Amino acid sequence: MAEFATSTAPAPADVVRRQYLASAAGDLEALRATLAPDVEWTEMAGFPLGGTYRTPDGVTANVMEKLGQDWDGWTAHDDTYVVDGENVVVLARYTATNKATGKPIDVRVAHHFVVRAGRIVRFEQFVDTALVRDAMTV
């Protein structure tokens, strides 16, 4: 009878959930711990921070820290998880208030994560960028 090695890596959905909890708590160190060293993090074209960022430090500096500069209370509320192996799709919503305009957002979003060996290796965001930009316009 063949023996199978058991994985000690956490389930992909658990890794993604830790990422949301760290983000909501503003704990960038814990958030970086969920990301692979060679992570590719893509914010949707048309989103204020649209582009692809690499490395855990690059992601937190260019996404989370900049969102904190422009928005009060930026939170990604994870609602529904759809898991297929290493792929985790999360249906969620963003809430925040733009600091410059005082306008709030409450917008639906979908996130696609790829998790390998207990770390997020790829992320892609899908969001109605017009609603976000409207909140940034006086």
Side-chain angles (χ1 to χ4, degrees), residues 23-44:
S23 179
D27 187 344
L28 298 184
E29 184 176 332
L31 193 150
R32 284 189 288 270
T34 67
L35 305 176
D38 60 346
V39 65
E40 288 188 7
W41 187 279
T42 302
E43 299 285 319
M44 191 167 174

Side-chain angles (χ1 to χ4, degrees), residues 42-106:
T42 302
E43 299 285 319
M44 191 167 174
F47 189 71
L49 304 173
T52 299
Y53 305 95
R54 290 173 176 79
T55 77
D57 288 333
V59 170
T60 55
N62 291 296
V63 179
M64 288 72 183
E65 290 179 20
K66 289 189 178 180
L67 287 171
Q69 292 169 3
D70 296 335
W71 300 87
D72 281 324
W74 183 276
T75 305
H77 306 269
D78 51 328
D79 298 329
T80 303
Y81 285 64
V82 180
V83 181
D84 181 15
E86 66 185 14
N87 293 283
V88 180
V89 174
V90 180
L91 304 178
R93 63 187 172 86
Y94 292 147
T95 59
T97 301
N98 186 266
K99 290 180 180 180
T101 66
K103 292 181 183 179
I105 61 165
D106 186 342

